Amino acid sequence: MKRVTLLAMASLAGCATTPLSPPTLNNPLVGTWQLQSYADTPEGGAPIYAFGNPPRGLFFFTAEGHVSINLMRNPPAIGSTSNDPDPDSCRPEWYCSYFGTYTYDATTSSWTTHVIGGNIPNYLGTDQRRIFTIAGNFLTISETYTADGKVFHGQRVLRRLGR
């Protein structure tokens, strides 16, 4: 399975239209990360776990600058609608996946995915920037967005599986 995923990611090199990040030993993203938590909390409200608690997901970052992000509701809830308040939700709502190339910016502790494909229609052909922190083997992505007039604070926590 891992070999098939790596081969699929390697084939993306011919599809990329954005320059890749140069390989670097100082890129802390390189490797495989497993999603541990995915929560969106409205100001003054309780957390919403749109992908279940715990969710399922893997993020792959290569040293050559390729990325693949996969999230799945746990349990999958096939045929049901999501309670995800984010306007950039997936189709179907219980599974999200996108891939492309990425650039890592050490000065802002962020990466930008240059989306080539996936099942989030609003992401296709866009750049998606994510601010993160890493503590030990845990990567935390934080974001704030507005949906239906409410401000939400999103937090995604991943655990490193390997390089």
Side-chain angles (χ1 to χ4, degrees):
M1 178 76 159
K2 190 179 212 180
R3 184 179 204 184
V4 170
T5 301
L6 291 175
L7 287 173
M9 288 172 51
S11 71
L12 295 175
C15 300
T17 58
T18 305
L20 303 179
S21 296
T24 175
L25 296 175
N26 297 324
N27 182 344
L29 294 169
V30 172
T32 303
W33 299 85
Q34 183 179 47
L35 187 62
Q36 303 291 298
S37 174
Y38 185 109
D40 291 292
T41 306
E43 284 189 353
I48 297 169
Y49 300 98
F51 287 95
N53 190 13
R56 296 189 187 260
L58 289 174
F59 289 39
F60 302 95
F61 294 90
T62 70
E64 297 78 21
H66 297 284
V67 61
S68 179
I69 296 173
N70 304 275
L71 312 167
M72 186 175 126
R73 185 171 179 64
N74 183 20
I78 298 170
S80 69
T81 59
S82 172
N83 63 350
D84 189 347
D86 192 335
D88 292 325
S89 62
C90 309
R91 303 289 181 258
E93 289 82 5
W94 56 271
Y95 184 80
C96 286
S97 178
Y98 62 100
F99 60 90
T101 60
Y102 77 99
T103 51
Y104 163 60
D105 185 345
T107 61
T108 61
S109 294
S110 68
W111 85 81
T112 301
T113 301
H114 314 289
V115 181
I116 295 170
N119 71 339
I120 308 172
N122 289 350
Y123 280 19
L124 299 176
T126 68
D127 290 342
Q128 296 295 317
R129 184 171 177 258
R130 300 292 181 261
I131 297 170
F132 69 92
T133 58
I134 293 179
N137 284 326
F138 291 90
L139 181 151
T140 301
I141 304 163
S142 299
E143 67 176 336
T144 300
Y145 63 91
T146 302
D148 297 327
K150 294 181 184 177
V151 175
F152 288 83
H153 301 285
Q155 185 178 66
R156 291 75 170 105
V157 178
L158 299 102
R159 181 175 57 89
R160 183 185 297 280
L161 295 180
R163 284 195 176 257

